[in-house]
Amino acid sequence: KQSYRKLLVAPDLMKDQILARIEREIEQHRQKGDGYLAFKMNALVDRKCVQALYRASQAGVKVDLQVRGICCLRPGLPGISDNITVTSVVGRFLEHPRIYYFRNGGDEELLMGSADLMPRNLDRRVEQLFPIENPDLRESVYEHILCVHLRDNMQARRLLSDGQYESVRPKEGEPELNSHAWMI
């Protein structure tokens, strides 16, 4: 099948649709400011997706990534990726949620599904992402899954610009948050 009303399906369509949404976020940011992307996945390897995220950062879009495993993007490079943060959480649960959040100038879009941003998933497998359209459910997934994991300060490791990871710890006065304990 070559077209879908709501699903993003790989191979063939998904990569271009993800890239178009990143470019849309860049354009929304140029027009209105407040551009924001937040992705949770197991791997970020696809070169075109990495380059698009670099372009978003260079345009001033804030990008939060939680990549459990391999990540080929380097955050915090001056002039290239200084608006990107990357964390990884490996803990009690072998997690597999893939969540892609686009602020889209206030018309938020949140996609969930099976695909990581890697050539194997985008170019050689049947994978899918679907939109969460119900506003209450979308807010719940965003606030209670994605944001909680992005705020983890007990199990998370932050990827540095040199490719090394450092443990994330609570700032002074900040409460501890272990996202896996929170899920329990």
Side-chain angles (χ1 to χ4, degrees), residues 168-184:
V168 176
R169 292 292 167 241
K171 296 177 178 122
E172 190 172 328
E174 181 182 42
E176 293 180 350
L177 176 59
N178 176 318
S179 58
H180 290 186
W182 186 92
M183 288 193 306
I184 291 171

Side-chain angles (χ1 to χ4, degrees), residues 85-99:
T85 61
V86 178
T87 57
S88 174
V89 173
V90 178
R92 180 173 181 175
F93 302 120
L94 178 58
E95 289 192 82
H96 290 286
R98 278 77 168 193
I99 303 171

Side-chain angles (χ1 to χ4, degrees), residues 37-177:
L37 302 168
F39 298 170
K40 179 174 174 50
M41 67 195 96
N42 284 345
L44 174 56
V45 177
D46 185 79
R47 178 180 296 243
K48 287 184 179 179
C49 292
V50 168
Q51 290 171 342
L53 291 167
Y54 284 153
R55 282 193 305 279
S57 174
Q58 291 165 8
V61 175
K62 181 173 174 12
V63 181
D64 286 329
L65 304 172
Q66 187 159 88
V67 185
R68 184 179 191 277
I70 188 168
C71 181
C72 292
L73 179 146
R74 291 284 181 96
L77 296 172
I80 298 171
S81 58
D82 32 13
N83 290 313
I84 301 175
T85 61
V86 178
T87 57
S88 174
V89 173
V90 178
R92 180 173 181 175
F93 302 120
L94 178 58
E95 289 192 82
H96 290 286
R98 278 77 168 193
I99 303 171
Y100 299 91
Y101 172 82
F102 304 84
R103 183 169 285 151
N104 191 26
D107 187 16
E108 299 171 313
E109 183 176 24
L110 190 140
L111 304 167
M112 294 181 66
S114 62
D116 290 313
L117 299 183
M118 54 193 312
R120 178 179 73 198
N121 290 157
L122 297 172
D123 301 328
R124 295 189 297 276
R125 285 188 179 171
V126 175
E127 303 275 357
Q128 59 79 36
L129 295 173
F130 58 92
I132 304 293
E133 295 182 326
N134 177 290
D136 294 334
L137 185 54
R138 183 175 52 239
E139 180 182 355
S140 183
V141 169
Y142 177 73
E143 292 292 332
H144 299 122
I145 298 175
L146 184 58
C147 288
V148 166
H149 281 80
L150 290 171
R151 288 192 320 264
D152 188 306
N153 57 21
M154 296 303 296
Q155 297 180 118
R157 297 174 306 133
R158 180 180 302 109
L159 180 59
L160 305 174
S161 60
D162 66 0
Q164 300 295 312
Y165 284 87
E166 69 178 4
S167 294
V168 176
R169 292 292 167 241
K171 296 177 178 122
E172 190 172 328
E174 181 182 42
E176 293 180 350
L177 176 59

